[in-house]
């Protein structure tokens, strides 16, 4: 067959395409497990960051995660644990927030820290240019925020992207999401000088107003369905404290 013929050119191109396709497929199959592991490790890192746990360079993220996350499960908006074929770690929060609160799968991660158990909940919303998400860790009273972690897909560097910096996320530490009557109110994100007279608040990012508003809305819409579960933690905490006080009085 002449190399200058059209048939030769077509056969040569077809064979080349097949070889390249097979090669790419082999590479994908080889690297895919590593990609899946890297994605899982990054998610574990984010969950741990909400509980203020940062793995060191010589530590395996998976090992640190296994040492600190002592339980994980799914609850419904009534605060009850539910049986599901989906593992709490594998719940797609992006899809769940699109559902009505009564239909959502709500993951909970229980983290062991030096200051007791913390309960970590995922949040997901929208910023100025795309998705924003994060994790919020609560004290055992189900009300006080112990730590927060936020991330984004494409917010403006130096502006909205600052939500991922500790200077912003650390403001949430110690804030309560329920008022004195036990009503959910979340955390307000406000401009400096416009602090509300009541309720928990943090300062918005200068120049990142829309992203900051997105964080407030994300927390409200993502955490409200957890209200009954968080209240159950508070009731358990109050009962435990009362028992301890009675024991101390008897002594």
């Amino acid at each position: 067959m002449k190399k200058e013929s059209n048939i030769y050119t077509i056969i040569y191109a077809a064979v080349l395409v097949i070889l390249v396709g097979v090669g790419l497929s082999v590479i994908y199959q080889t690297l895919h497990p590593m990609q899946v592991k890297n994605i899982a490790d990054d998610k574990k890192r984010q969950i741990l960051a909400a509980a203020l746990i940062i793995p060191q360079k010589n530590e395996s993220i998976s090992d640190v995660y296994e040492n600190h996350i002592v339980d994980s499960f799914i609850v419904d908006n009534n605060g009850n644990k539910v049986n599901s074929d989906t593992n709490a770690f594998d719940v797609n929060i992006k899809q769940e927030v699109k559902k009505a609160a009564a239909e959502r799968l709500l993951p909970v991660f229980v983290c062991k820290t030096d200051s007791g158990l913390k309960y970590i909940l995922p949040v997901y919303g929208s910023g100025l240019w795309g998705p924003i998400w994060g994790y919020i860790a609560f004290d055992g009273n189900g009300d006080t925020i112990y730590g927060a972690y936020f991330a984004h897909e494409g917010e403006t560097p130096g502006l909205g992207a600052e939500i991922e910096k500790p200077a912003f996320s650390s403001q949430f530490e110690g804030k309560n999401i329920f008022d004195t009557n036990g009503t959910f109110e979340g955390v307000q994100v406000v401009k400096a000088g416009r602090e509300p007279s009541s309720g928990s608040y943090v300062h918005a990012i200068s120049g990142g107003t829309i992203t900051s508003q997105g964080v407030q809305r994300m927390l409200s819409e993502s955490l409200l369905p957890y209200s009954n579960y968080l209240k159950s933690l508070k009731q358990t905490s109050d009962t435990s404290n009362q028992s301890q006080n009675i024991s101390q009085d008897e002594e």
Side-chain angles (χ1 to χ4, degrees):
M1 184 182 300
K2 295 182 179 180
K3 293 185 178 180
E4 295 80 6
S5 67
N6 291 334
I7 295 178
Y8 177 87
T9 301
I10 293 173
I11 293 175
Y12 179 84
V15 171
L16 186 61
V17 168
I18 293 173
L19 290 176
V20 171
V22 171
L24 290 175
S25 178
V26 171
I27 292 173
Y28 173 79
Q29 294 297 331
T30 302
L31 296 180
H32 184 63
M34 185 181 300
Q35 293 174 336
V36 171
K37 181 181 184 302
N38 288 340
I39 292 173
D41 282 350
D42 186 55
K43 184 173 181 178
K44 292 175 181 178
R45 178 187 61 79
Q46 294 180 26
I47 293 172
L48 292 170
L52 310 182
I53 298 171
I54 309 298
Q56 302 303 306
K57 291 183 178 180
N58 61 337
E59 293 181 310
S60 163
I61 292 178
S62 292
D63 288 343
V64 176
Y65 184 87
E66 292 299 326
N67 289 336
H68 287 278
I69 303 300
V70 295
D71 196 9
S72 63
F73 47 85
I74 297 172
V75 299
D76 58 24
N77 71 321
N78 291 317
N80 302 315
K81 291 185 180 181
V82 299
N83 294 320
S84 173
D85 294 333
T86 304
N87 184 283
F89 188 83
D90 296 326
V91 172
N92 188 328
I93 304 303
K94 179 180 179 178
Q95 297 300 322
E96 293 303 316
V97 296
K98 297 177 182 179
K99 302 177 182 178
E103 300 174 356
R104 294 187 195 179
L105 297 177
L106 305 171
V108 178
F109 302 91
V110 184
C111 183
K112 178 180 65 176
T113 72
D114 292 338
S115 56
L117 294 179
K118 309 302 174 185
Y119 300 82
I120 305 172
L121 314 179
V123 294
Y124 192 95
S126 298
L128 174 60
W129 300 114
I132 57 177
W133 64 90
Y135 294 90
I136 307 297
F138 286 90
D139 283 335
N141 62 12
D143 184 13
T144 307
I145 295 176
Y146 177 74
Y149 173 86
F150 301 113
H152 66 92
E153 184 174 286
E155 299 306 289
T156 307
L159 298 175
E162 295 296 300
I163 64 171
E164 65 183 0
K165 301 293 181 62
F168 177 71
S169 60
S170 62
Q171 294 185 83
F172 289 83
E173 297 171 18
K175 304 298 183 181
N176 295 325
I177 63 169
F178 293 99
D179 64 17
T180 54
N181 296 318
T183 301
F184 178 88
E185 61 180 1
V187 179
Q188 300 179 65
V189 184
V190 301
K191 291 183 177 180
R194 297 186 180 180
E195 293 81 2
S197 58
S198 62
S200 296
Y201 69 87
V202 301
H203 287 130
I205 298 165
S206 179
T209 302
I210 295 179
T211 306
S212 298
Q213 292 174 344
V215 171
Q216 176 178 315
R217 186 168 55 252
M218 172 177 69
L219 294 181
S220 177
E221 294 176 355
S222 296
L223 295 179
L224 182 58
Y226 282 98
S227 292
N228 288 321
Y229 174 71
L230 292 171
K231 288 178 180 179
S232 72
L233 290 179
K234 181 174 176 56
Q235 293 174 351
T236 301
S237 176
D238 290 343
T239 301
S240 177
N241 291 334
Q242 290 176 359
S243 299
Q244 290 179 358
N245 291 335
I246 292 174
S247 298
Q248 291 175 355
D249 291 341
E250 291 178 348
E251 292 177 357

